[in-house]
Amino acid sequence: MSVYEVGLRLRGKTVLVVGGGSIAGRRVPRLLAAGARVRLVAPEATTTLTDYAAAGELRWERREWRSGDGDDAWFVLAATDDPAVNAAVAAEAEAARTWCVRADDAEASDAWTLAQTAFDGVSVAVSASGDPRRAASIRDAIGAALHAGDLDAPRTRTAPRAGVALVGAGPGDADLITLRGLELLRRAEVVVSDRLAPQELLDMLGDDVEIVDAAKLPYGRHTTQEQINAVMVERALEGKFVVRLKGGDGFVFGRGAEELDACVEAGVPVEVVPGLSSSIAGPAAAGIPVTERGVVHDFTVATGHVPPGPQSKVNWEALGAGNGTVVLLMAVKNRGAIAEALIAGGRSPDAAVRIVENATTKNQTVRECVLSDLGVTEAHHPAVIVIGDVAARARTLPRTDRDR
Ligand code: SAH
């Protein structure tokens, strides 16, 4: 069975979806993303579909399909669990010369949904003579190759636009950057990088990409941050696309605000791509959820860069008085003084502590102690320190095939 592949441009066009189960649930988001006006006819619908309807993103007619429903549709998806209904929907579409996908019976279906993936402006659709599993595995292989950068071609139409993207690279493991972050990194002509951003992400860049190591900038009369801002803005004004790659999330103790301001002030287009912050991902990687239903209902992320005292903007006493989770970043040096301040504020000296070093990397180490011993317990940068009941309840994660 061979098909003729086309790309439907559905913007503003009505698409009839009959049936509100898991197949419709999987297809509808992409129809909506393509700009289709989705009309859903189904007596029941999945929560996701119900939410779309409630948000006004699709029109849901809560009833059985009836003849005539597809009259204004350009494209029909018959996805009920009743083959007779699907057949009737398909037959009516055929009579009206409207393409219809029957989800239950590929053989009887005039149109097929192909296994699809998209990355960085490229979309790939695969069909494999009616073998959906084979199509899906080939799609997965192509998708993985596109993501890994093993499969790429220079773009002809859309040169990267000049500007800056402030990209959070995630906590350490190169796989934990977001899809958007990776996509922009691949387009970068200049990358201004941080010490804590995963090195593997830089290794995959082409030789023509200029990598500016922020740690090695000459300070001169200016601070490093001013130098970083200047480099980013200069290159963008030269017409380059610059990615500022930072560990974790750039807006969590990452001076992202200053970088954003510098771009805005210089009139440089800027996109902010959030990253997975070590403040949450670090504990998670050590089996510690920062909140737990019925145990802890709040968590605070504080920097320990400045020790407790008049210089610090953190109300350590209030944190000590509370019973939520306290997550400390940049606190290795001042951990003893911070522990004392928390205890002075009312936190139990026996409060559980976990120190997660090099979180999510192959060098991840977790140490444990109680709050009163934090100052004398070994700890090395970079570390996330987690204090509170959730730390005592740290889970041991059973090994997975990701462990090496
Ligand atoms: N913007 C970053 C934090 C920058 S401050 C984020 O959102 O994660 C730098 C501090 O982050 C380090 O001192 C350390 O406390 C923490 N940190 C960053 N990466 C880490 C990692 N892989 N393991 C443990 N702590 C980490």
Side-chain angles (χ1 to χ4, degrees), residues 168-204:
D173 180 336
D175 285 357
L176 294 177
I177 190 172
T178 61
L179 289 177
R180 181 67 180 156
L182 189 60
E183 184 178 324
L184 294 180
L185 191 58
R186 288 201 180 295
R187 274 192 224 170
E189 294 166 297
V190 180
V191 175
V192 184
S193 171
D194 240 20
R195 219 162 13 99
L196 281 173
Q199 190 58 43
E200 296 96 307
L201 289 175
L202 301 180
D203 292 346
M204 69 176 204

PDB file of all heavy atoms in Angstrom, residues 168-204:
ATOM      1  N   GLY A 168      18.502  28.566  29.630  1.00  0.00           N
ATOM      2  CA  GLY A 168      18.843  27.773  30.812  1.00  0.00           C
ATOM      3  C   GLY A 168      19.232  26.384  30.338  1.00  0.00           C
ATOM      4  O   GLY A 168      18.473  25.734  29.631  1.00  0.00           O
ATOM      5  N   ALA A 169      20.432  25.939  30.724  1.00  0.00           N
ATOM      6  CA  ALA A 169      20.950  24.668  30.191  1.00  0.00           C
ATOM      7  C   ALA A 169      20.572  23.482  31.058  1.00  0.00           C
ATOM      8  O   ALA A 169      20.869  22.344  30.721  1.00  0.00           O
ATOM      9  CB  ALA A 169      22.462  24.747  30.070  1.00  0.00           C
ATOM     10  N   GLY A 170      19.894  23.743  32.191  1.00  0.00           N
ATOM     11  CA  GLY A 170      19.568  22.641  33.079  1.00  0.00           C
ATOM     12  C   GLY A 170      20.694  22.393  34.069  1.00  0.00           C
ATOM     13  O   GLY A 170      21.754  23.007  33.996  1.00  0.00           O
ATOM     14  N   PRO A 171      20.459  21.466  34.999  1.00  0.00           N
ATOM     15  CA  PRO A 171      21.313  21.340  36.172  1.00  0.00           C
ATOM     16  C   PRO A 171      22.675  20.693  35.950  1.00  0.00           C
ATOM     17  O   PRO A 171      23.522  20.770  36.835  1.00  0.00           O
ATOM     18  CB  PRO A 171      20.476  20.478  37.115  1.00  0.00           C
ATOM     19  CG  PRO A 171      19.611  19.671  36.208  1.00  0.00           C
ATOM     20  CD  PRO A 171      19.292  20.569  35.050  1.00  0.00           C
ATOM     21  N   GLY A 172      22.910  20.032  34.844  1.00  0.00           N
ATOM     22  CA  GLY A 172      24.228  19.403  34.702  1.00  0.00           C
ATOM     23  C   GLY A 172      24.258  18.350  33.607  1.00  0.00           C
ATOM     24  O   GLY A 172      25.095  18.393  32.713  1.00  0.00           O
ATOM     25  N   ASP A 173      23.323  17.422  33.658  1.00  0.00           N
ATOM     26  CA  ASP A 173      23.219  16.406  32.623  1.00  0.00           C
ATOM     27  C   ASP A 173      22.806  17.093  31.312  1.00  0.00           C
ATOM     28  O   ASP A 173      21.806  17.815  31.276  1.00  0.00           O
ATOM     29  CB  ASP A 173      22.154  15.384  33.059  1.00  0.00           C
ATOM     30  CG  ASP A 173      21.961  14.269  32.047  1.00  0.00           C
ATOM     31  OD1 ASP A 173      22.260  14.468  30.858  1.00  0.00           O
ATOM     32  OD2 ASP A 173      21.495  13.194  32.450  1.00  0.00           O
ATOM     33  N   ALA A 174      23.585  16.866  30.256  1.00  0.00           N
ATOM     34  CA  ALA A 174      23.324  17.562  28.992  1.00  0.00           C
ATOM     35  C   ALA A 174      21.923  17.257  28.444  1.00  0.00           C
ATOM     36  O   ALA A 174      21.351  18.061  27.713  1.00  0.00           O
ATOM     37  CB  ALA A 174      24.381  17.189  27.956  1.00  0.00           C
ATOM     38  N   ASP A 175      21.368  16.114  28.801  1.00  0.00           N
ATOM     39  CA  ASP A 175      20.030  15.746  28.313  1.00  0.00           C
ATOM     40  C   ASP A 175      18.922  16.581  28.944  1.00  0.00           C
ATOM     41  O   ASP A 175      17.779  16.498  28.525  1.00  0.00           O
ATOM     42  CB  ASP A 175      19.717  14.281  28.631  1.00  0.00           C
ATOM     43  CG  ASP A 175      20.452  13.340  27.721  1.00  0.00           C
ATOM     44  OD1 ASP A 175      21.160  13.829  26.813  1.00  0.00           O
ATOM     45  OD2 ASP A 175      20.332  12.119  27.915  1.00  0.00           O
ATOM     46  N   LEU A 176      19.250  17.329  29.983  1.00  0.00           N
ATOM     47  CA  LEU A 176      18.185  18.017  30.712  1.00  0.00           C
ATOM     48  C   LEU A 176      17.962  19.457  30.255  1.00  0.00           C
ATOM     49  O   LEU A 176      17.245  20.209  30.891  1.00  0.00           O
ATOM     50  CB  LEU A 176      18.443  17.947  32.222  1.00  0.00           C
ATOM     51  CG  LEU A 176      18.355  16.524  32.789  1.00  0.00           C
ATOM     52  CD1 LEU A 176      18.702  16.519  34.285  1.00  0.00           C
ATOM     53  CD2 LEU A 176      16.973  15.925  32.586  1.00  0.00           C
ATOM     54  N   ILE A 177      18.531  19.817  29.114  1.00  0.00           N
ATOM     55  CA  ILE A 177      18.178  21.105  28.517  1.00  0.00           C
ATOM     56  C   ILE A 177      16.796  20.938  27.875  1.00  0.00           C
ATOM     57  O   ILE A 177      16.383  19.819  27.570  1.00  0.00           O
ATOM     58  CB  ILE A 177      19.243  21.524  27.472  1.00  0.00           C
ATOM     59  CG1 ILE A 177      19.029  22.962  27.006  1.00  0.00           C
ATOM     60  CG2 ILE A 177      19.276  20.555  26.293  1.00  0.00           C
ATOM     61  CD1 ILE A 177      20.169  23.492  26.122  1.00  0.00           C
ATOM     62  N   THR A 178      16.069  22.035  27.673  1.00  0.00           N
ATOM     63  CA  THR A 178      14.750  21.904  27.034  1.00  0.00           C
ATOM     64  C   THR A 178      14.910  21.753  25.515  1.00  0.00           C
ATOM     65  O   THR A 178      15.958  22.078  24.957  1.00  0.00           O
ATOM     66  CB  THR A 178      13.877  23.145  27.277  1.00  0.00           C
ATOM     67  OG1 THR A 178      14.539  24.273  26.696  1.00  0.00           O
ATOM     68  CG2 THR A 178      13.651  23.399  28.760  1.00  0.00           C
ATOM     69  N   LEU A 179      13.854  21.283  24.870  1.00  0.00           N
ATOM     70  CA  LEU A 179      13.877  21.148  23.405  1.00  0.00           C
ATOM     71  C   LEU A 179      14.122  22.500  22.756  1.00  0.00           C
ATOM     72  O   LEU A 179      14.894  22.629  21.815  1.00  0.00           O
ATOM     73  CB  LEU A 179      12.544  20.585  22.915  1.00  0.00           C
ATOM     74  CG  LEU A 179      12.287  19.119  23.247  1.00  0.00           C
ATOM     75  CD1 LEU A 179      10.903  18.713  22.760  1.00  0.00           C
ATOM     76  CD2 LEU A 179      13.342  18.233  22.611  1.00  0.00           C
ATOM     77  N   ARG A 180      13.471  23.522  23.287  1.00  0.00           N
ATOM     78  CA  ARG A 180      13.637  24.864  22.723  1.00  0.00           C
ATOM     79  C   ARG A 180      15.081  25.342  22.892  1.00  0.00           C
ATOM     80  O   ARG A 180      15.662  25.932  21.978  1.00  0.00           O
ATOM     81  CB  ARG A 180      12.663  25.825  23.424  1.00  0.00           C
ATOM     82  CG  ARG A 180      12.715  27.242  22.912  1.00  0.00           C
ATOM     83  CD  ARG A 180      12.218  27.333  21.488  1.00  0.00           C
ATOM     84  NE  ARG A 180      12.248  28.687  20.971  1.00  0.00           N
ATOM     85  CZ  ARG A 180      12.304  28.972  19.669  1.00  0.00           C
ATOM     86  NH1 ARG A 180      12.327  27.994  18.777  1.00  0.00           N
ATOM     87  NH2 ARG A 180      12.313  30.198  19.279  1.00  0.00           N
ATOM     88  N   GLY A 181      15.631  25.065  24.077  1.00  0.00           N
ATOM     89  CA  GLY A 181      17.004  25.480  24.338  1.00  0.00           C
ATOM     90  C   GLY A 181      17.965  24.826  23.361  1.00  0.00           C
ATOM     91  O   GLY A 181      18.848  25.472  22.781  1.00  0.00           O
ATOM     92  N   LEU A 182      17.775  23.539  23.132  1.00  0.00           N
ATOM     93  CA  LEU A 182      18.658  22.791  22.239  1.00  0.00           C
ATOM     94  C   LEU A 182      18.528  23.307  20.802  1.00  0.00           C
ATOM     95  O   LEU A 182      19.514  23.480  20.085  1.00  0.00           O
ATOM     96  CB  LEU A 182      18.293  21.302  22.308  1.00  0.00           C
ATOM     97  CG  LEU A 182      19.229  20.343  21.603  1.00  0.00           C
ATOM     98  CD1 LEU A 182      20.629  20.451  22.195  1.00  0.00           C
ATOM     99  CD2 LEU A 182      18.723  18.913  21.734  1.00  0.00           C
ATOM    100  N   GLU A 183      17.283  23.559  20.429  1.00  0.00           N
ATOM    101  CA  GLU A 183      17.020  24.050  19.083  1.00  0.00           C
ATOM    102  C   GLU A 183      17.765  25.373  18.849  1.00  0.00           C
ATOM    103  O   GLU A 183      18.430  25.551  17.822  1.00  0.00           O
ATOM    104  CB  GLU A 183      15.508  24.236  18.966  1.00  0.00           C
ATOM    105  CG  GLU A 183      15.011  24.641  17.635  1.00  0.00           C
ATOM    106  CD  GLU A 183      13.475  24.733  17.637  1.00  0.00           C
ATOM    107  OE1 GLU A 183      12.810  23.917  18.313  1.00  0.00           O
ATOM    108  OE2 GLU A 183      12.961  25.633  16.964  1.00  0.00           O
ATOM    109  N   LEU A 184      17.674  26.277  19.807  1.00  0.00           N
ATOM    110  CA  LEU A 184      18.327  27.576  19.644  1.00  0.00           C
ATOM    111  C   LEU A 184      19.844  27.443  19.696  1.00  0.00           C
ATOM    112  O   LEU A 184      20.566  28.116  18.967  1.00  0.00           O
ATOM    113  CB  LEU A 184      17.828  28.566  20.705  1.00  0.00           C
ATOM    114  CG  LEU A 184      16.356  28.941  20.563  1.00  0.00           C
ATOM    115  CD1 LEU A 184      15.942  29.915  21.657  1.00  0.00           C
ATOM    116  CD2 LEU A 184      16.059  29.541  19.191  1.00  0.00           C
ATOM    117  N   LEU A 185      20.312  26.520  20.531  1.00  0.00           N
ATOM    118  CA  LEU A 185      21.749  26.309  20.630  1.00  0.00           C
ATOM    119  C   LEU A 185      22.315  25.845  19.287  1.00  0.00           C
ATOM    120  O   LEU A 185      23.382  26.254  18.866  1.00  0.00           O
ATOM    121  CB  LEU A 185      22.008  25.258  21.719  1.00  0.00           C
ATOM    122  CG  LEU A 185      23.444  25.081  22.175  1.00  0.00           C
ATOM    123  CD1 LEU A 185      24.005  26.386  22.711  1.00  0.00           C
ATOM    124  CD2 LEU A 185      23.526  23.995  23.242  1.00  0.00           C
ATOM    125  N   ARG A 186      21.564  24.992  18.617  1.00  0.00           N
ATOM    126  CA  ARG A 186      21.999  24.509  17.305  1.00  0.00           C
ATOM    127  C   ARG A 186      22.066  25.618  16.262  1.00  0.00           C
ATOM    128  O   ARG A 186      22.773  25.513  15.278  1.00  0.00           O
ATOM    129  CB  ARG A 186      21.022  23.456  16.790  1.00  0.00           C
ATOM    130  CG  ARG A 186      21.128  22.208  17.520  1.00  0.00           C
ATOM    131  CD  ARG A 186      20.567  21.065  16.695  1.00  0.00           C
ATOM    132  NE  ARG A 186      20.713  19.867  17.469  1.00  0.00           N
ATOM    133  CZ  ARG A 186      21.867  19.343  17.806  1.00  0.00           C
ATOM    134  NH1 ARG A 186      22.990  19.877  17.369  1.00  0.00           N
ATOM    135  NH2 ARG A 186      21.929  18.281  18.559  1.00  0.00           N
ATOM    136  N   ARG A 187      21.257  26.655  16.463  1.00  0.00           N
ATOM    137  CA  ARG A 187      21.237  27.756  15.507  1.00  0.00           C
ATOM    138  C   ARG A 187      22.262  28.819  15.830  1.00  0.00           C
ATOM    139  O   ARG A 187      22.444  29.751  15.053  1.00  0.00           O
ATOM    140  CB  ARG A 187      19.878  28.441  15.590  1.00  0.00           C
ATOM    141  CG  ARG A 187      18.852  27.801  14.719  1.00  0.00           C
ATOM    142  CD  ARG A 187      17.673  28.739  14.683  1.00  0.00           C
ATOM    143  NE  ARG A 187      16.468  27.974  14.835  1.00  0.00           N
ATOM    144  CZ  ARG A 187      15.285  28.509  15.032  1.00  0.00           C
ATOM    145  NH1 ARG A 187      15.173  29.818  15.156  1.00  0.00           N
ATOM    146  NH2 ARG A 187      14.237  27.760  15.127  1.00  0.00           N
ATOM    147  N   ALA A 188      22.861  28.707  17.023  1.00  0.00           N
ATOM    148  CA  ALA A 188      23.698  29.806  17.516  1.00  0.00           C
ATOM    149  C   ALA A 188      24.903  30.029  16.636  1.00  0.00           C
ATOM    150  O   ALA A 188      25.505  29.095  16.105  1.00  0.00           O
ATOM    151  CB  ALA A 188      24.143  29.506  18.943  1.00  0.00           C
ATOM    152  N   GLU A 189      25.252  31.287  16.467  1.00  0.00           N
ATOM    153  CA  GLU A 189      26.507  31.641  15.805  1.00  0.00           C
ATOM    154  C   GLU A 189      27.559  31.996  16.852  1.00  0.00           C
ATOM    155  O   GLU A 189      28.750  31.883  16.622  1.00  0.00           O
ATOM    156  CB  GLU A 189      26.282  32.811  14.855  1.00  0.00           C
ATOM    157  CG  GLU A 189      25.373  32.415  13.681  1.00  0.00           C
ATOM    158  CD  GLU A 189      24.865  33.602  12.921  1.00  0.00           C
ATOM    159  OE1 GLU A 189      24.139  34.425  13.514  1.00  0.00           O
ATOM    160  OE2 GLU A 189      25.198  33.720  11.725  1.00  0.00           O
ATOM    161  N   VAL A 190      27.075  32.447  17.997  1.00  0.00           N
ATOM    162  CA  VAL A 190      27.962  32.749  19.124  1.00  0.00           C
ATOM    163  C   VAL A 190      27.320  32.150  20.371  1.00  0.00           C
ATOM    164  O   VAL A 190      26.113  32.277  20.567  1.00  0.00           O
ATOM    165  CB  VAL A 190      28.091  34.285  19.329  1.00  0.00           C
ATOM    166  CG1 VAL A 190      29.018  34.594  20.500  1.00  0.00           C
ATOM    167  CG2 VAL A 190      28.577  34.968  18.055  1.00  0.00           C
ATOM    168  N   VAL A 191      28.124  31.472  21.191  1.00  0.00           N
ATOM    169  CA  VAL A 191      27.601  30.949  22.455  1.00  0.00           C
ATOM    170  C   VAL A 191      28.448  31.513  23.589  1.00  0.00           C
ATOM    171  O   VAL A 191      29.666  31.363  23.591  1.00  0.00           O
ATOM    172  CB  VAL A 191      27.636  29.406  22.489  1.00  0.00           C
ATOM    173  CG1 VAL A 191      27.200  28.888  23.858  1.00  0.00           C
ATOM    174  CG2 VAL A 191      26.746  28.820  21.401  1.00  0.00           C
ATOM    175  N   VAL A 192      27.781  32.204  24.502  1.00  0.00           N
ATOM    176  CA  VAL A 192      28.483  32.713  25.684  1.00  0.00           C
ATOM    177  C   VAL A 192      28.128  31.775  26.822  1.00  0.00           C
ATOM    178  O   VAL A 192      26.968  31.651  27.203  1.00  0.00           O
ATOM    179  CB  VAL A 192      28.039  34.163  26.017  1.00  0.00           C
ATOM    180  CG1 VAL A 192      28.852  34.697  27.192  1.00  0.00           C
ATOM    181  CG2 VAL A 192      28.196  35.058  24.801  1.00  0.00           C
ATOM    182  N   SER A 193      29.133  31.076  27.313  1.00  0.00           N
ATOM    183  CA  SER A 193      28.825  29.970  28.210  1.00  0.00           C
ATOM    184  C   SER A 193      29.350  30.187  29.620  1.00  0.00           C
ATOM    185  O   SER A 193      30.242  30.980  29.874  1.00  0.00           O
ATOM    186  CB  SER A 193      29.415  28.696  27.634  1.00  0.00           C
ATOM    187  OG  SER A 193      29.296  27.679  28.574  1.00  0.00           O
ATOM    188  N   ASP A 194      28.783  29.430  30.503  1.00  0.00           N
ATOM    189  CA  ASP A 194      29.032  29.450  31.935  1.00  0.00           C
ATOM    190  C   ASP A 194      29.840  28.249  32.349  1.00  0.00           C
ATOM    191  O   ASP A 194      29.784  27.237  31.683  1.00  0.00           O
ATOM    192  CB  ASP A 194      27.664  29.205  32.579  1.00  0.00           C
ATOM    193  CG  ASP A 194      27.234  30.312  33.463  1.00  0.00           C
ATOM    194  OD1 ASP A 194      27.754  31.428  33.334  1.00  0.00           O
ATOM    195  OD2 ASP A 194      26.368  30.028  34.282  1.00  0.00           O
ATOM    196  N   ARG A 195      30.460  28.329  33.477  1.00  0.00           N
ATOM    197  CA  ARG A 195      31.173  27.172  34.012  1.00  0.00           C
ATOM    198  C   ARG A 195      30.213  26.012  34.316  1.00  0.00           C
ATOM    199  O   ARG A 195      30.548  24.858  34.141  1.00  0.00           O
ATOM    200  CB  ARG A 195      31.889  27.580  35.290  1.00  0.00           C
ATOM    201  CG  ARG A 195      33.232  26.995  35.480  1.00  0.00           C
ATOM    202  CD  ARG A 195      34.004  27.793  36.521  1.00  0.00           C
ATOM    203  NE  ARG A 195      33.134  28.699  37.266  1.00  0.00           N
ATOM    204  CZ  ARG A 195      32.630  28.445  38.471  1.00  0.00           C
ATOM    205  NH1 ARG A 195      32.912  27.328  39.082  1.00  0.00           N
ATOM    206  NH2 ARG A 195      31.856  29.336  39.076  1.00  0.00           N
ATOM    207  N   LEU A 196      29.003  26.351  34.794  1.00  0.00           N
ATOM    208  CA  LEU A 196      28.095  25.284  35.224  1.00  0.00           C
ATOM    209  C   LEU A 196      27.242  24.711  34.086  1.00  0.00           C
ATOM    210  O   LEU A 196      26.510  23.756  34.288  1.00  0.00           O
ATOM    211  CB  LEU A 196      27.199  25.773  36.368  1.00  0.00           C
ATOM    212  CG  LEU A 196      27.859  25.808  37.753  1.00  0.00           C
ATOM    213  CD1 LEU A 196      26.933  26.465  38.768  1.00  0.00           C
ATOM    214  CD2 LEU A 196      28.275  24.438  38.235  1.00  0.00           C
ATOM    215  N   ALA A 197      27.337  25.297  32.904  1.00  0.00           N
ATOM    216  CA  ALA A 197      26.562  24.740  31.786  1.00  0.00           C
ATOM    217  C   ALA A 197      27.264  23.463  31.301  1.00  0.00           C
ATOM    218  O   ALA A 197      28.488  23.423  31.240  1.00  0.00           O
ATOM    219  CB  ALA A 197      26.469  25.747  30.657  1.00  0.00           C
ATOM    220  N   PRO A 198      26.489  22.416  30.999  1.00  0.00           N
ATOM    221  CA  PRO A 198      27.109  21.145  30.626  1.00  0.00           C
ATOM    222  C   PRO A 198      28.055  21.274  29.429  1.00  0.00           C
ATOM    223  O   PRO A 198      27.688  21.790  28.385  1.00  0.00           O
ATOM    224  CB  PRO A 198      25.917  20.256  30.256  1.00  0.00           C
ATOM    225  CG  PRO A 198      24.729  20.906  30.860  1.00  0.00           C
ATOM    226  CD  PRO A 198      25.029  22.350  31.001  1.00  0.00           C
ATOM    227  N   GLN A 199      29.280  20.814  29.608  1.00  0.00           N
ATOM    228  CA  GLN A 199      30.311  20.898  28.587  1.00  0.00           C
ATOM    229  C   GLN A 199      29.914  20.153  27.303  1.00  0.00           C
ATOM    230  O   GLN A 199      30.199  20.608  26.202  1.00  0.00           O
ATOM    231  CB  GLN A 199      31.614  20.314  29.160  1.00  0.00           C
ATOM    232  CG  GLN A 199      32.844  20.543  28.309  1.00  0.00           C
ATOM    233  CD  GLN A 199      33.099  22.028  28.057  1.00  0.00           C
ATOM    234  OE1 GLN A 199      32.987  22.856  28.952  1.00  0.00           O
ATOM    235  NE2 GLN A 199      33.417  22.366  26.810  1.00  0.00           N
ATOM    236  N   GLU A 200      29.203  19.019  27.445  1.00  0.00           N
ATOM    237  CA  GLU A 200      28.807  18.231  26.265  1.00  0.00           C
ATOM    238  C   GLU A 200      27.990  19.062  25.293  1.00  0.00           C
ATOM    239  O   GLU A 200      28.013  18.812  24.093  1.00  0.00           O
ATOM    240  CB  GLU A 200      27.967  17.002  26.638  1.00  0.00           C
ATOM    241  CG  GLU A 200      28.668  15.980  27.469  1.00  0.00           C
ATOM    242  CD  GLU A 200      28.371  16.183  28.946  1.00  0.00           C
ATOM    243  OE1 GLU A 200      28.582  17.328  29.442  1.00  0.00           O
ATOM    244  OE2 GLU A 200      27.948  15.233  29.594  1.00  0.00           O
ATOM    245  N   LEU A 201      27.248  20.022  25.831  1.00  0.00           N
ATOM    246  CA  LEU A 201      26.424  20.840  24.943  1.00  0.00           C
ATOM    247  C   LEU A 201      27.309  21.696  24.050  1.00  0.00           C
ATOM    248  O   LEU A 201      26.974  21.974  22.907  1.00  0.00           O
ATOM    249  CB  LEU A 201      25.483  21.728  25.759  1.00  0.00           C
ATOM    250  CG  LEU A 201      24.344  21.005  26.475  1.00  0.00           C
ATOM    251  CD1 LEU A 201      23.567  21.985  27.349  1.00  0.00           C
ATOM    252  CD2 LEU A 201      23.402  20.341  25.474  1.00  0.00           C
ATOM    253  N   LEU A 202      28.476  22.092  24.569  1.00  0.00           N
ATOM    254  CA  LEU A 202      29.385  22.908  23.764  1.00  0.00           C
ATOM    255  C   LEU A 202      30.133  22.035  22.769  1.00  0.00           C
ATOM    256  O   LEU A 202      30.428  22.449  21.650  1.00  0.00           O
ATOM    257  CB  LEU A 202      30.383  23.628  24.666  1.00  0.00           C
ATOM    258  CG  LEU A 202      29.769  24.557  25.709  1.00  0.00           C
ATOM    259  CD1 LEU A 202      30.855  25.219  26.532  1.00  0.00           C
ATOM    260  CD2 LEU A 202      28.911  25.616  25.026  1.00  0.00           C
ATOM    261  N   ASP A 203      30.402  20.800  23.172  1.00  0.00           N
ATOM    262  CA  ASP A 203      31.154  19.898  22.306  1.00  0.00           C
ATOM    263  C   ASP A 203      30.430  19.615  20.999  1.00  0.00           C
ATOM    264  O   ASP A 203      31.032  19.293  19.995  1.00  0.00           O
ATOM    265  CB  ASP A 203      31.434  18.570  23.023  1.00  0.00           C
ATOM    266  CG  ASP A 203      32.401  18.770  24.178  1.00  0.00           C
ATOM    267  OD1 ASP A 203      33.030  19.853  24.224  1.00  0.00           O
ATOM    268  OD2 ASP A 203      32.510  17.876  25.025  1.00  0.00           O
ATOM    269  N   MET A 204      29.108  19.729  21.040  1.00  0.00           N
ATOM    270  CA  MET A 204      28.375  19.367  19.819  1.00  0.00           C
ATOM    271  C   MET A 204      28.255  20.542  18.846  1.00  0.00           C
ATOM    272  O   MET A 204      27.736  20.389  17.758  1.00  0.00           O
ATOM    273  CB  MET A 204      26.988  18.859  20.199  1.00  0.00           C
ATOM    274  CG  MET A 204      26.163  19.974  20.730  1.00  0.00           C
ATOM    275  SD  MET A 204      24.512  19.504  21.099  1.00  0.00           S
ATOM    276  CE  MET A 204      23.776  21.130  20.957  1.00  0.00           C
TER     277      MET A 204
END
